């Protein structure tokens, strides 16, 4: 853009002073260019989530389309070799001098003096003036790369991890920008190259120039050891795949230890359900990495389904069953899960989720996911406290490994942080074995094999309960389980379908979808990818519905969903390879065929499992609340919505649970909160409606979702305040197609989905 009058011309270099022009300077209105795609002029602030009041200048030109420079003459020796294929130019700049160059560009374009600040320069970008050439730009013959100059020379790490140079850490943010953590050293030196569309490097890594000429090293922002599309090799593949699932052992294994005893199942039934869950987790994860969002996320039995399942388990119609109680309840759960999963599949593959996800923002996700963990406060320590001598040491060990020893690195890995739960369980389990062998739980005249109902003495009855929760030899799973047993569909019998239980699981699947939406976005930013589009989210939710149908057919008792702990696992392991997840999933499938493995896991003392779940549920609460970092957390609007939602989601179910006084004589105290469906305050002429409403309003997570969803979408608030900028699909694929490359389905599969609104 040229200045409109001579008064706005840049000041002359003549030492003779000139009369200053008018202030503020008069600038002609911006005229859109017609030689490129108009969509490229989309607001820079909206595309990057830039807040001019926050001082965030970490966004760089990585997201701006590369412009070509004036042609340069070829050297004689190069011209002699003949013409080369014309390719776009590579732009070289130093992000540390971003503010200065923005100011210089503004001065060149408008002729305004150096008094114009960065806020004016951002308006320059927003109006499209960033298409002006950068000062001191170096033109290179390679077209599809953008060269960024990070901090200067020094030590670099090959095979991933942050480049550390002269005390400076260089890392990338979620949009591919470069951030620097300075230790008092000026930025200077080497170059970083990022492949834009050649397919060699993904969005989550760059190519760093080595110390020798022509040598390059792979640099991954955020310290990732392995990118989403990378194949780390056989040995790292095995190690990464195993560690990813071991770090999530609490979610994958211990849910059946809660459910099956409440359903009246035996130790053998517990072992069978664990083996079935391992199989479904492996199958679901593999399907998700090929047909879902394709993010490195483990799919399995989610805690979002656990509370609704416990409500169905503790219904009046199942309490007094004496024969085949476990199979009757499991078949009821199978039918309810299948109904809810069909709803979720339709929601995803019909494109309705693309509309609903526009109303699901971080302010909705945060309290909903947090309440998933808070809902089990009445079960956690009351169960763990029945055996203090093993539960408290386990909790202390987990906190010691995850907090106080989290920075200790062995063999290049933070083993204590990554393997906190397996290490703690192994140590305390061995300790409990020595306690059992030493006679710590031997009580004269008491036998743990005798049912509690047949024991007359109250003191002996309490001691028998302690023996069952603490002893390591009380389980008969190892003796009764088969060495080889392959789980199969309808292994508990044909599912039974009832409308009232199906509606409960429909809401459970909706809550699980909200949980998955939060995990999709958080994981994408962790592995330095663009947030998934609405279509990609719909595709993932639709596939979760399909895998939940598979879980209902095989009989896990719960639906399959993205595990919330994925976010913590990816953050701690720094491993984002789909190949590693697929390899680990194959191992889970193989383990599910050996009944003794499920029996070994079913032999974990119940108090020990409850102690692990205390930490796991607390982690779910923390991960849910951490979603608020995408919003303006200081906003009174958000504070009130989240605080009120958390309180009311605990208070309203407590009101409904108070209408079941007789159940205290039948059920244990930790199961009373899930017995309000049959005796709640709602009374109409339709018994099925009474059951459904009492059940839904007694489930904490359902109340939390409804309250947060209504408040966030009715209370006025800016998009930036609600966190919409980061989660919205503001960057269309036609602007930067390479940014969505890791989400794309395999070429041979794409044609199957063209008729569905799920490709994004």
């Amino acid at each position: 853009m040229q200045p409109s009058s001579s008064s706005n011309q840049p000041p002359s270099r003549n030492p003779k002073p000139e009369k200053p022009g008018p202030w503020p300077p008069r600038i002609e209105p911006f005229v859109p260019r017609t030689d490129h795609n108009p969509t490229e002029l989309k607001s820079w602030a909206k595309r990057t989530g830039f807040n001019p009041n926050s001082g965030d200048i970490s966004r760089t030109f990585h997201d701006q389309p590369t412009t070509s420079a004036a042609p340069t003459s070829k050297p004689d020796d190069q011209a002699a070799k003949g013409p080369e294929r014309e390719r776009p130019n590579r732009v070289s700049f130093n992000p540390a001098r971003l503010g200065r160059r923005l100011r210089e560009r503004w001065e060149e374009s408008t002729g305004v003096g150096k008094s114009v600040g960065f806020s004016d320069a951002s308006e320059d970008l927003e109006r499209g003036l960033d298409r002006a050439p950068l000062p001191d730009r170096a033109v290179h013959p390679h077209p599809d790369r953008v060269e960024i100059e990070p901090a200067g020379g020094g030590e670099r790490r090959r095979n991933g991890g942050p480049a550390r140079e002269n005390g400076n850490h260089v890392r990338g943010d979620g949009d591919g920008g470069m951030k620097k953590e300075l230790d008092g050293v000026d930025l200077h030196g080497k170059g970083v190259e990022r492949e834009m569309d050649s397919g060699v490097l993904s969005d989550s890594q760059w190519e760093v120039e080595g110390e020798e000429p022509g040598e390059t090293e792979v640099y991954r922002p955020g310290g990732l050891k392995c990118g989403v599309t990378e194949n780390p090799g056989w040995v790292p593949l095995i190690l990464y795949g195993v560690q990813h699932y071991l770090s999530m052992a609490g979610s994958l294994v211990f849910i059946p230890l809660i459910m099956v005893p409440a359903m009246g199942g035996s130790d053998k039934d517990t072992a069978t359900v664990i083996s079935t869950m391992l199989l479904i987790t492996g199958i679901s994860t593999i399907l998700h990495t090929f047909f879902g969002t394709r993010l490195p996320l483990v799919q399995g039995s989610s805690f979002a389904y656990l509370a609704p399942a416990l409500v169905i388990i503790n219904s009046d119609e199942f309490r007094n069953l004496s024969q085949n109680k476990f199979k009757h309840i499991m078949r009821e759960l199978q039918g309810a899960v299948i109904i809810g999963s069909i709803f979720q599949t339709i929601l995803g593959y019909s494109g309705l989720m693309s509309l609903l996800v526009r109303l699901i923002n971080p302010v909705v996700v945060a309290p909903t996911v947090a309440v998933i963990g808070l809902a089990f406060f009445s079960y956690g320590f009351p169960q763990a406290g029945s055996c203090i001598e093993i539960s408290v040491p386990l909790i202390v060990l987990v906190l010691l490994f995850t907090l106080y020893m989290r920075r200790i690195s062995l063999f290049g890995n933070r083993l204590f942080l990554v393997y906190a739960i397996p290490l703690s369980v192994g140590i305390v389990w061995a300790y409990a074995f020595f306690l059992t062998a030493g006679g710590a739980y031997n009580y004269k005249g008491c036998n743990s094999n005798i049912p509690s109902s047949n024991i007359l003495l109250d003191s002996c009855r309490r001691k028998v309960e302690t023996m069952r929760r603490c002893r390591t030899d009380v389980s008969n799973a190892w003796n009764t389980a088969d060495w080889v047993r392959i789980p199969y569909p309808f292994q508990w019998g044909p599912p039974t379908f009832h409308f009232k239980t199906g509606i409960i699981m429909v809401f459970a699947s909706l809550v699980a979808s909200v949980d998955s939406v939060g995990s999709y976005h958080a994981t994408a930013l962790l592995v330095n990818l663009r947030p998934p589009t609405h279509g990609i989210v719909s595709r993932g939710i639709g596939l979760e519905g399909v895998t939940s149908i598979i879980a209902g057919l095989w009989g896990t008792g719960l639906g399959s969903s993205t595990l919330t702990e994925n976010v913590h696992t990816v953050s701690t392991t720094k491993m984002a390879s789909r190949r590693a997840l697929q390899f680990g999933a194959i191992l889970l499938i193989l383990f599910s065929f050996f009944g003794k493995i499920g029996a070994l896991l079913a032999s974990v003392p119940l108090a020990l499992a409850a102690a692990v779940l205390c930490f796991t549920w607390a982690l779910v609460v923390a991960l849910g609340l951490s979603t608020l970092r995408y919003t303006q957390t200081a906003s009174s609007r958000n504070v009130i919505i989240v605080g009120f939602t958390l309180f009311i989601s605990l208070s309203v179910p407590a009101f409904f649970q108070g209408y079941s006084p007789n159940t205290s004589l039948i059920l244990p105290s930790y199961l009373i909160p899930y017995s309000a469906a049959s005796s709640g305050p709602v009374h109409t002429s339709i018994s099925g409606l009474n059951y459904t409403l009492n059940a839904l309003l007694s489930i904490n997570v359902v109340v939390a979702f409804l309250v947060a969803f209504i408040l966030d979408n009715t209370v006025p608030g800016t998009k930036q305040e609600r966190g919409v900028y980061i989660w919205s699909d503001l960057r269309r694929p036609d602007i930067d197609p390479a940014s969505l490359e890791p989400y794309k389905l395999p070429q041979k599969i794409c044609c199957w989905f063209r008729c569905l609104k799920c490709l994004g």
Side-chain angles (χ1 to χ4, degrees):
M1 179 184 300
Q2 299 295 332
S4 59
S5 65
S6 60
S7 61
N8 289 336
Q9 295 294 334
S12 173
R13 297 184 182 273
N14 194 321
K16 181 180 178 180
E18 295 183 2
K19 183 178 179 180
W23 186 263
R26 184 165 54 87
I27 302 175
E28 293 183 359
F30 173 70
V31 179
R33 294 170 55 181
T34 59
D35 58 343
H36 57 75
N37 189 349
T39 59
E40 293 182 357
L41 294 179
K42 199 170 186 180
S43 170
W44 175 78
K46 290 184 178 180
R47 283 192 281 123
T48 59
F50 175 74
N51 180 7
N53 299 322
S54 66
D56 180 10
I57 59 173
S58 62
R59 309 287 181 179
T60 68
F61 291 98
H62 166 75
D63 297 319
Q64 303 301 326
T66 305
T67 59
S68 58
T72 59
S73 60
K74 296 182 180 180
D76 295 337
D77 56 347
Q78 185 177 357
K81 298 180 181 179
E84 292 186 354
R85 181 173 59 93
E86 292 187 1
R87 307 171 69 185
N89 295 322
R90 184 174 64 178
V91 181
S92 175
F93 64 92
N94 190 331
R97 299 195 296 270
L98 175 61
R100 179 176 61 82
R101 294 195 175 191
L102 287 174
R103 186 178 65 250
E104 291 174 355
R105 178 186 300 165
W106 175 268
E107 294 167 2
E108 285 185 3
S109 303
T110 63
V112 179
K114 294 186 177 181
S115 60
V116 179
F118 179 79
S119 60
D120 295 325
S122 66
E123 294 178 5
D124 175 10
L125 282 176
E126 195 163 341
R127 295 182 183 183
L129 296 179
D130 56 316
R131 304 303 189 270
L134 279 167
D136 304 326
R137 184 173 64 180
V139 180
H140 298 274
H142 297 290
D144 46 358
R145 297 182 179 179
V146 173
E147 183 175 353
I148 306 173
E149 300 176 6
E155 178 182 301
R156 285 184 176 85
R157 285 176 51 189
R158 202 181 288 266
N159 297 330
R164 183 178 180 86
E165 307 174 359
N166 295 336
N168 300 336
H169 293 279
V170 186
R171 58 189 176 88
D173 62 9
D175 294 308
M178 297 294 293
K179 294 182 180 178
K180 314 244 177 340
E181 300 174 0
L182 305 181
D183 299 336
V185 182
D186 293 335
L187 297 177
H188 60 282
K190 306 288 182 179
V192 176
E193 299 178 356
R194 178 183 174 275
E195 291 284 351
M196 295 295 291
D197 55 4
S198 64
V200 178
L201 298 181
S202 65
D203 255 6
S204 60
Q205 61 186 28
W206 291 304
E207 214 175 78
V208 183
E209 294 181 359
E211 308 215 352
E212 298 297 331
E215 180 186 2
T216 58
E217 301 174 5
V218 175
Y219 167 69
R220 303 175 185 87
L224 287 177
K225 297 179 181 178
C226 191
V228 176
T229 58
E230 287 185 77
N231 183 5
W234 282 107
V235 175
L237 191 70
I238 296 173
L239 295 178
Y240 292 160
V242 171
Q243 80 171 9
H244 200 93
Y245 291 91
L246 282 178
S247 62
M248 304 176 67
S251 303
L252 298 176
V253 173
F254 294 136
I255 289 181
L257 297 179
I258 299 175
M259 287 182 52
V260 177
M263 298 165 65
S266 62
D267 296 331
K268 183 179 180 180
D269 295 330
T270 303
T272 303
V273 173
I274 290 177
S275 296
T276 306
M277 282 191 172
L278 293 179
L279 174 66
I280 298 303
T281 298
I283 294 175
S284 302
T285 303
I286 291 176
L287 290 177
H288 189 82
T289 56
F290 281 104
F291 303 99
T293 62
R294 310 203 71 196
L295 287 169
L297 297 171
V298 175
Q299 309 291 304
S301 298
S302 173
F303 290 120
Y305 289 95
L306 182 56
L310 290 175
V311 168
I312 296 175
I313 291 170
N314 291 283
S315 301
D316 278 341
E317 56 189 293
F318 300 123
R319 291 176 191 167
N320 299 324
L321 290 178
S322 57
Q323 294 182 349
N324 296 325
K325 178 181 179 179
F326 171 76
K327 289 188 176 180
H328 279 91
I329 298 177
M330 180 59 79
R331 291 164 58 187
E332 184 72 32
L333 289 176
Q334 286 181 259
V337 167
I338 291 175
I339 293 175
S341 303
I342 293 175
F343 166 80
Q344 190 178 24
T345 304
I346 296 174
L347 183 67
Y349 286 138
S350 66
L352 293 176
M353 192 64 194
S354 297
L355 303 176
L356 182 62
V357 78
R358 290 173 169 83
L359 306 177
I360 299 176
N361 299 310
V363 179
V364 178
V365 174
T368 302
V369 177
V371 171
I372 292 177
L374 289 175
F376 300 102
F377 74 94
S378 63
Y379 182 92
F381 200 78
Q383 279 287 77
S386 62
C387 195
I388 295 291
E389 54 272 16
I390 66 173
S391 60
V392 171
L394 189 142
I395 294 176
V396 171
L397 272 180
V398 172
L399 294 178
L400 181 67
F401 290 155
T402 56
L403 296 177
Y404 298 97
M405 301 175 67
R406 70 185 189 277
R407 298 188 183 276
I408 298 178
S409 179
L410 298 176
F411 309 107
N413 294 311
R414 296 183 178 180
L415 298 180
F416 295 106
L417 179 60
V418 174
Y419 301 107
I421 290 180
L423 286 175
S424 303
V425 170
I427 294 172
V428 177
W429 200 356
Y431 168 65
F433 174 80
F434 286 112
L435 289 179
T436 302
Y441 305 113
N442 292 338
Y443 302 106
K444 187 177 180 180
C446 299
N447 188 352
S448 60
N449 295 324
I450 300 176
S452 300
S453 58
N454 297 339
I455 300 176
L456 300 179
L457 298 177
D458 291 339
S459 60
C460 191
R461 185 180 295 112
R462 288 193 295 269
K463 292 177 181 178
V464 166
E465 290 300 320
T466 300
M467 294 169 67
R468 290 174 178 170
R469 290 186 173 92
C470 303
R471 293 181 66 94
T472 58
D473 60 354
V474 71
S475 176
N476 296 320
W478 182 267
N479 298 327
T480 57
D482 300 325
W483 278 100
V484 177
R485 183 187 183 278
I486 300 177
Y488 55 92
F490 307 116
Q491 56 188 336
W492 314 112
T496 56
F497 299 93
H498 292 95
F499 176 79
K500 59 181 183 180
T501 56
I503 291 298
I504 294 175
M505 282 300 176
V506 165
F507 277 87
S509 66
L510 191 59
V511 170
S513 301
V514 173
D515 185 8
S516 297
V517 169
S519 298
Y520 294 165
H521 287 83
T523 305
L525 295 177
L526 275 177
V527 299
N528 299 286
L529 294 179
R530 299 288 175 84
T533 64
H534 299 327
I536 294 172
V537 171
S538 295
R539 191 176 72 205
I541 297 300
L543 186 68
E544 288 187 10
V546 173
T547 55
S548 293
I549 293 176
I550 297 175
L553 296 177
W554 260 258
T556 61
L558 302 176
S560 180
S561 178
T562 300
L563 300 182
T564 312
E565 301 86 301
N566 274 291
V567 179
H568 174 71
T569 301
V570 174
S571 177
T572 55
T573 62
K574 303 298 182 183
M575 192 283 301
S577 173
R578 286 196 295 250
R579 294 279 185 90
L581 250 68
Q582 292 164 359
F583 182 82
I586 292 174
L587 291 181
L588 287 186
I589 294 174
L590 295 178
F591 291 159
S592 68
F593 297 158
F594 297 95
K596 291 297 184 181
I597 294 180
L600 179 65
L601 298 174
S603 302
V604 175
L606 187 58
L608 191 150
V612 173
L613 290 174
C614 284
F615 174 79
T616 305
W617 286 328
L619 180 62
V620 172
V621 175
L623 292 173
L625 294 178
S626 69
T627 309
L628 291 174
R629 69 184 183 272
Y630 305 122
T631 69
Q632 291 183 348
T633 53
S635 167
S636 61
R637 171 192 182 275
N638 296 344
V639 169
I640 293 174
I641 291 177
V642 174
F644 179 78
T645 301
L646 292 175
F647 175 81
I648 209 69
S649 64
L650 298 176
S651 185
V652 169
F655 169 75
F656 279 78
Q657 294 159 8
Y659 279 83
S660 53
N662 297 329
T663 56
S664 59
L665 304 176
I666 305 172
L667 297 175
S669 60
Y670 53 84
L671 291 179
I672 292 178
Y674 308 104
S675 61
S678 302
S679 55
V682 176
H683 296 285
T684 65
S685 58
I686 306 174
S687 60
L689 181 61
N690 296 339
Y691 178 92
T692 302
L693 292 179
N694 287 322
L696 292 176
L697 294 176
S698 66
I699 299 174
N700 306 82
V701 68
V702 173
V703 175
F705 168 68
L706 294 177
V707 172
F709 183 83
I710 293 173
L711 290 180
D712 185 55
N713 289 284
T714 55
V715 177
T718 64
K719 291 184 177 181
Q720 192 168 6
E721 187 179 23
R722 300 168 64 193
V724 178
Y725 275 143
I726 298 180
W727 278 24
S728 292
D729 184 18
L730 296 178
R731 302 181 181 188
R732 295 171 51 186
D734 56 346
I735 294 179
D736 189 2
S739 65
L740 297 176
E741 191 69 28
Y743 295 109
K744 289 186 178 179
L745 294 172
Q747 196 66 27
K748 296 181 180 179
I749 302 173
C750 244
C751 57
W752 300 352
F753 292 87
R754 293 194 187 280
C755 60
L756 302 175
K757 300 178 180 180
C758 59
L759 290 178

